[in-house]
Structures are given as C-alpha cells and as structure tokens.
Amino acid sequence: MIKANYPIDKFKDIQTPFYYYDLDTLRTTLEEINQQAKKSDFHVHYALKANVNPSVLAVIKEAGLGADCVSGGEVEAAIKAGIAPSKVVFAGVGKADWEINLGLDNDIFCFNVESIPELEVINELAASKGKIAKIALRINPNVSAHTHHYITTGLSENKFGINMSELDQVIDLIPTLPYIKLIGIHFHIGSQITDMTSFQGLCVKVNEIQNTFLAHNVKLDHVNVGGGLGINYEHPNHFPIPDFGAYFKIFQDHLTLQPGQTLHFELGRAVVAQCGSLISRVLYVKQGTSKKFAILDAGFTELIRPALYQAYHHIENLSSELPVELYDVVGPICESSDTFAKGFSLNQTKRGDLIAIRSAGAYGEIMASQYNLRKLPIGYTSDQLRPLTPKGE
Ligand SMILES: *Cc1c(COP(=O)(O)O)cnc(C)c1O
C-alpha cells in the first residue's frame, strides 16, 4: 500500500488532532496551474474560502494568484496576505454594507453581484463615497454540475446569481445606476466537478449569454467562469495534482471570447485539497458485534465534510504495516454522523497509531468548530516541521 511521505518522527511530538500541509505538493500544484493558465493567458483567483491558513496563503500569494472572496473577512485576509486589491474579486449573495464599503475603500478589482437589490445598494454606497464600483453580474446559467446537491449552485432554483429570465431587465437597469460600472459576467456552477462535460455545458451557455449582451450593445472586459474543478479523493497518492491542462483546454476550445476580453477562474479545492491532511491518533479500537471501530481523537469538529455531504476521504494508518482489516473509522463527538468511513481497509490498528485523513486541505481546517467545547485544530506546514539546517550551512 503506497502511503504519503510524512515526517512521522516530528508528528510524534505534536498534540493530535492537527492539520498538516505539504507545501511541496502545494508549490507543484501552483506551478502547474501557472504553466497551464499561461498558455491561454487566463487569470486565476484563489477562492479563499477553501483554506486561509496564513502559511498556505503566503505560498499562494507568492505564486501570483489573485483572490476570490465571499466575505469581508476574506477580503481582509487576502489583502493582509499581500494579494493586490486589483486582483481581488468579491462574490456572495448577502454582502453586508460594511463588506461592500471595505471593497470600495480598497478599490478591489470587481464585485460579483448576485441580485438587483444588491446592485442598487452598491450604487448607493459607492455614491456616498464618490466612487465608481466595478461590477460583474453573477448569472445563474442553469447548468447541472453533476455533483452533490449541497454543492451545486448553477441551477435556476438556487439562491445564487441572477436568473437568465431577469437578464434583459438588469441590462436595462445598469445605465440608470451612475456609480456602477459593468465590467464583466460571472458564473460558478458548483464544486468537486470531475465531469468535464459540465464545464463544456457552461461554455455553451456563456457564449449564448455573451450574444445577449452584444445584442444590447454592451461591452464586457472580462468573463469569470468561477471554480469547481474536482480532485481525486480516492487516490491522492496517484493523482496529487488535478489535470489543469485538460480543464483549461475545455474553455480554450469551447468558450468564445470577444476581442480584448480576459478570462478569469476562481479555483479553491483544486489548489489546496491535496496538500492537506488531518493527522489524528487512535484512542480506542472497539469490537462491535459484527465490526470493528477505530475511534479517533479527531471528529467532525475538525473535518466536517463526511458528516455534511457524505464526502469520501482516503485514510491511512501511518504507524502500521500489518495486514489490512476493515474498520468503521469514527470520531469522539456525540452524534452518529461523526463517522469518517465505514468498512474501511486499514493496516491492523491499535491504540496510539497515527492516522492520516487525506485530501483535507480544502474545506477542512476552515470549517472546524468548537462543538462539544473542543479546541480548534492547529495547522502545521512541511516547512515548519522540516529538520532545521544548522547555522552556517
Ligand atoms: C466556493 C467558490 C469558488 C471555489 O470553488 P471550488 O469548488 O473550491 O473551486 C469559486 N467561486 C465562488 C463564487 C465560490 O463561491
């Protein structure tokens, strides 16, 4: 069984559970993104909501990605990390006044606007500052992402975005709002999308929508197709880097840009998921009537994805090379949904073994809670846990 290459000796001294980020994997992922995006001159914004660990964010900033934010807190985190406001986009169905003001004060690149009332509020707040807000319309293209229903966002009966049926009305409204400048259109159809035909379907819709704008004689500087590229949760050791080449090629081949238009992406999960693991210890192995339970010191308070959307994570016992056995891998929280996997093959497991729950870099640490008054997990990076080089070498 192939296992990830972890500094297990270092892990032994750290209080579990904790997050571990392999920055080599992250850097390789970012190099691949940049190399593939460069071919077509695409702009990539990192979706901060996947992970805002400062060390992770620093590496992403270093690679030159922009930021995609969905709250004022994320706009602040992006700017604090040193990402230029001119590369910050700000989406979200419920932007509060202070969040809009924060974006205006920092002259961010673009507000991705999700409703008519929001357009009117941004216009008003920009007016009181004597500024012009640059906006893109988030349009709901009614494309199925073929993903879990909790993480699909592009169908028409969805709280996200402006519906196609409202489009003509919105296009007519914008010229009446003097403190708003329409610079683009924005889409985001869902997350953990592995079927590239969903993105192809998005391209077809975007082309149609572009024609609607052309028919109204409205010029757009950019198109933003959001994020959602999935990763391989089953085989993180074999497929640590998503196929960004194939992903970008879909848009290169199927999306028609107007002269001078730029194409923007907002990738979250695909950037950070594979670099992160939740490291935990086995507290007890309990023999049930027909199965064994491996009870960990991590639960859904540290990683909620399995409980929230039945997500699969690959699990490795880092301390054992014994033959595999089947375990239900569970946490200590007083809820039955606190289960990471059922009937999972682990090398024979005992109390004290270190367990890695893989592909946990996205929507892991950031979604941790203190339920049951548990402590929030700390995130460590491979750079921090590397043996120190003696001075002078
Ligand atoms: C969550 C989100 C993203 C990133 O989604 P991933 O599936 O993590 O790539 C991009 N854009 C918007 C608007 C989002 O809400």
Side-chain angles (χ1 to χ4, degrees), residues 47 49-50 68 70 91 138 186 188 190-192 226-229 266-270 363:
K49 77 174 189 283
D68 164 46
V70 292
R138 175 168 181 178
H186 172 235
H188 175 67
S191 199
Q192 185 49 23
L229 176 62
E266 303 167 337
L267 294 174
R269 186 191 311 273
Y363 308 105

Side-chain angles (χ1 to χ4, degrees), residues 64-75:
L65 271 62
D68 164 46
C69 304
V70 292
S71 73
E74 288 185 0
V75 172

